[in-house]
């Protein structure tokens, strides 16, 4: 089986998901959020490098209810269909060349009646009783960081920040250095090793003149040698703006 679970490492950073028991929460509402720890002050007053972006009209965000997520992967399939994300096949996935814009991360915790819990996968592997191990799923896509580390390393400004809080990709400007993928803390950027969507070497549903009709005409297909990532479905945002303008809203 070709799998992607171990393809990306966050280089020893703490789990992105923060958890705490209800007992711990009653003692300290900040428990498990990371806010109880000492953090650097990145406010504009103490920040010499990152200036605050102005969002004069919109600041788009996405909220995901992790309590409701079951890790079914339907969002991954929907994203693929909406954004013309290519299906690369088992051999390419085995080479760590998957193209999904969303991945489902799994985190493990062990219920020990509020005694602190075991959360690291290496620790859970040593447990003898696995009846109380819980799995938390988290859909992970581009976070459209306010001060995105991918933007500062791109030598051709192929990835830039918009006035609406989105991290944009200019495909025809990208030269494929992959610096942005290296600098992304969430590892959600993908590189096109081939023209997957029309290359006969990849046996997928797009390599047929009729089945190519399923491509979304509102989203461009990416070509070989460029990076791609979640666009926050900007085509739908623009469609909503257009509809509101027509209706004079």
């Amino acid at each position: 089986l070709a799998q992607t679970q171990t393809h990306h490492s966050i280089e020893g950073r703490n789990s992105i998901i923060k958890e705490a028991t209800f007992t711990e929460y009653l003692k300290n509402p900040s428990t498990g959020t990371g806010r109880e720890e000492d953090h650097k002050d990145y406010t504009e007053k103490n920040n010499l490098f990152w200036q605050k972006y102005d969002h004069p009209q919109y600041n788009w965000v996405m909220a995901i209810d992790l309590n409701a997520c079951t890790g079914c992967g339907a969002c991954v399939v929907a994203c693929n269909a909406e954004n013309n994300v290519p299906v690369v096949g088992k051999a390419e996935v085995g080479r760590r060349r998957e193209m999904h814009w969303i991945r489902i991360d799994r985190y493990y915790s062990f219920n020990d009646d509020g005694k602190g819990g075991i959360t690291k996968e290496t620790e859970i592997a040593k447990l003898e009783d696995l009846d109380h191990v819980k799995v938390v799923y988290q859909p992970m896509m581009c976070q459209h960081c306010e001060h995105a580390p991918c933007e500062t390393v791109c030598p051709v400004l192929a990835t830039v920040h918009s006035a609406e809080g989105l991290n944009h990709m200019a495909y025809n400007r990208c030269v494929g250095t992959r610096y942005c993928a290296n600098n992304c803390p969430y590892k959600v950027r993908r590189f096109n090793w081939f023209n997957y969507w029309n290359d006969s070497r990849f046996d997928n549903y797009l390599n047929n003149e009729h089945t190519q009709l399923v491509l979304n005409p509102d989203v461009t297909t990416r070509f070989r040698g460029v990076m791609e990532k979640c666009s926050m479905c900007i085509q739908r945002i623009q469609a909503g703006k257009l509809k509101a303008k027509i209706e004079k809203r």
Side-chain angles (χ1 to χ4, degrees):
L1 295 176
Q3 55 89 36
T4 64
Q5 177 67 20
T6 59
H7 281 192
H8 306 285
S9 169
I10 55 175
E11 304 301 334
R13 301 181 184 93
N14 291 330
S15 298
I16 299 171
I17 281 188
K18 304 295 184 183
E19 285 187 310
T21 64
F22 186 63
T23 305
E24 293 170 337
Y25 173 79
L26 292 177
K27 294 178 180 177
N28 182 6
S30 297
T31 299
T33 63
R35 295 173 186 167
E36 72 277 6
E37 304 168 2
D38 292 330
H39 285 272
K40 293 182 180 179
D41 185 1
Y42 286 111
T43 58
E44 196 167 357
K45 178 181 177 182
N46 299 312
N47 195 347
L48 300 177
F49 303 102
W50 303 100
Q51 302 303 317
K52 186 177 181 180
Y53 286 105
D54 291 327
H55 304 297
Q57 195 167 13
Y58 302 108
N59 186 13
W60 302 106
V61 297
M62 178 188 289
I64 299 176
D65 186 355
L66 297 182
N67 289 322
C69 179
T70 60
C72 68
C75 58
V76 179
V77 176
C79 174
N80 278 21
E82 172 68 22
N83 295 290
N84 300 333
V85 177
V87 176
V88 299
K90 179 179 178 179
E92 287 294 285
V93 171
R95 296 186 179 100
R96 303 192 174 205
R97 294 176 179 176
E98 69 273 8
M99 296 300 294
H100 302 306
W101 286 6
I102 304 178
R103 72 172 185 269
I104 308 297
D105 282 347
R106 293 179 294 182
Y107 293 91
Y108 304 90
S109 60
F110 180 74
N111 183 7
D112 59 353
D113 299 324
K115 297 178 182 177
I118 296 175
T119 57
K120 293 183 178 180
E121 193 169 351
T122 53
E123 295 176 347
I124 290 177
K126 299 175 183 178
L127 290 175
E128 296 181 0
D129 180 14
L130 299 178
D131 291 338
H132 301 290
V133 173
K134 296 185 297 182
V135 182
V136 179
Y137 300 99
Q138 182 182 41
M140 177 57 65
M141 71 292 289
C142 175
Q143 302 297 300
H144 296 269
C145 308
E146 182 72 6
H147 299 301
C150 58
E151 296 172 2
T152 55
V153 295
C154 181
V156 292
L157 292 178
T159 179
V160 294
H161 211 76
S162 77
E164 297 184 354
L166 298 182
N167 179 259
H168 285 333
M169 270 296 303
Y171 300 122
N172 58 348
R173 194 185 293 169
C174 178
V175 295
T177 64
R178 288 176 282 165
Y179 292 162
C180 55
N182 184 63
N183 226 34
C184 175
Y186 300 101
K187 304 305 175 190
V188 289
R189 287 178 162 269
R190 304 288 176 258
F191 182 71
N192 283 273
W193 293 89
F194 301 95
N195 286 332
Y196 290 115
W197 64 277
N198 67 351
D199 194 320
S200 59
R201 287 175 293 179
F202 302 101
D203 184 19
N204 59 46
Y205 68 99
L206 297 179
N207 290 323
N208 182 292
E209 60 180 337
H210 300 297
T211 54
Q212 283 188 8
L213 295 174
V214 305
L215 289 172
N216 185 351
D218 295 328
V219 181
T220 183
T221 51
R222 281 72 64 186
F223 44 91
R224 179 181 183 179
V226 304
M227 298 296 302
E228 62 179 72
K229 66 170 193 68
C230 165
S231 64
M232 195 73 84
C233 287
I234 191 172
Q235 70 276 7
R236 294 200 169 218
I237 293 175
Q238 293 301 105
K241 288 182 184 177
L242 217 60
K243 182 178 180 182
K245 187 175 182 180
I246 292 172
E247 296 175 354
K248 301 185 185 303
R249 290 192 278 121

